[in-house]
Amino acid sequence: MKKVSKNRNGFTLAEEVVTVMLVAILIATSSGILIHAMWFFCQNILTLTAQQKGIAVMDQLTEHLTYATEISTTGTFGTNPYQVQLTMTEDDGKHCLTADVCVKYASDGGTVNTTNQICSLGGYDAQYTVTGNAGESQVTIDLSITKSETTYYSDRRTIAIQNLSNAAAFSYSSTAGSLYIESLE
């Protein structure tokens, strides 16, 4: 009867140490790539969120300014039925664009006043400037959305105002107070 010899060959300690070191190098390299990809993803989310907020603010400004019959920075309105005061406000560190709306009813002379938060910005801040030239029926809006002193979105839009006649030159900044808009809506 033949004696079966047992194979006693295995991995040496040096081979196992080299294998563990190679696995550690692969894990370290892949974790670095993963961390960079996560950072890139977060930056894209910040930029996309800021872009959405910027588009929302710009759309609100455009909607209110397009049919304006009077634009003022002093808060004096005439007799038009629809009046809105746009203000950038902050509550507990969260920014928002707020509209104080006054709707006048011609039949009984009564008014309805509401305050609406029309665009929540969260931790982002919107700085915008609305500029109009004398005698022109268009305004230019410059908007930037920032967070922690980094600008994530900026836009410039020129709007033709439908009902504004003989406009005086003005320049309004969101950091200076409120913008008053009157229209026939």
Side-chain angles (χ1 to χ4, degrees):
M1 175 165 192
K2 279 190 177 180
K3 195 174 190 185
V4 177
S5 65
K6 293 184 178 180
N7 186 2
R8 296 185 184 246
N9 293 336
F11 294 109
T12 64
L13 180 62
E15 291 171 332
E16 289 182 15
V17 167
V18 168
T19 303
V20 168
M21 286 184 2
L22 287 174
V23 168
I25 290 171
L26 287 173
I27 290 173
T29 304
S30 62
S31 67
I33 292 170
L34 180 63
I35 288 172
H36 180 71
M38 288 175 58
W39 176 85
F40 186 71
F41 177 76
C42 289
Q43 290 300 313
N44 282 340
I45 293 296
L46 285 173
T47 302
L48 288 173
T49 303
Q51 185 177 21
Q52 289 174 337
K53 304 287 184 183
I55 290 170
V57 170
M58 187 64 85
D59 287 346
Q60 288 295 325
L61 290 171
T62 301
E63 179 182 331
H64 287 291
L65 288 169
T66 298
Y67 298 103
T69 56
E70 184 179 338
I71 301 169
S72 173
T73 57
T74 61
T76 57
F77 282 122
T79 58
N80 284 341
Y82 182 79
Q83 302 171 9
V84 64
Q85 172 189 356
L86 296 176
T87 309
M88 288 301 300
T89 59
E90 183 177 348
D91 185 24
D92 293 333
K94 299 195 183 219
H95 301 273
C96 63
L97 180 62
T98 304
D100 292 325
V101 179
C102 177
V103 179
K104 295 182 179 182
Y105 293 100
S107 61
D108 61 359
T111 61
V112 175
N113 296 315
T114 60
T115 299
N116 302 319
Q117 180 178 334
I118 58 175
C119 184
S120 174
L121 297 170
Y124 293 92
D125 188 22
Q127 293 93 26
Y128 58 89
T129 305
V130 179
T131 308
N133 296 323
E136 293 184 7
S137 61
Q138 66 182 20
V139 295
T140 302
I141 302 171
D142 291 309
L143 169 72
S144 66
I145 303 293
T146 60
K147 185 174 187 175
S148 303
E149 298 180 12
T150 301
T151 301
Y152 287 98
Y153 177 78
S154 64
D155 192 8
R156 171 178 272 189
R157 197 179 287 181
T158 301
I159 302 165
I161 300 178
Q162 305 296 320
N163 301 320
L164 190 64
S165 59
N166 298 328
F170 70 92
S171 181
Y172 163 77
S173 174
S174 60
T175 58
S178 298
L179 179 64
Y180 298 88
I181 304 168
E182 254 187 76
S183 66
L184 298 172
E185 276 185 359

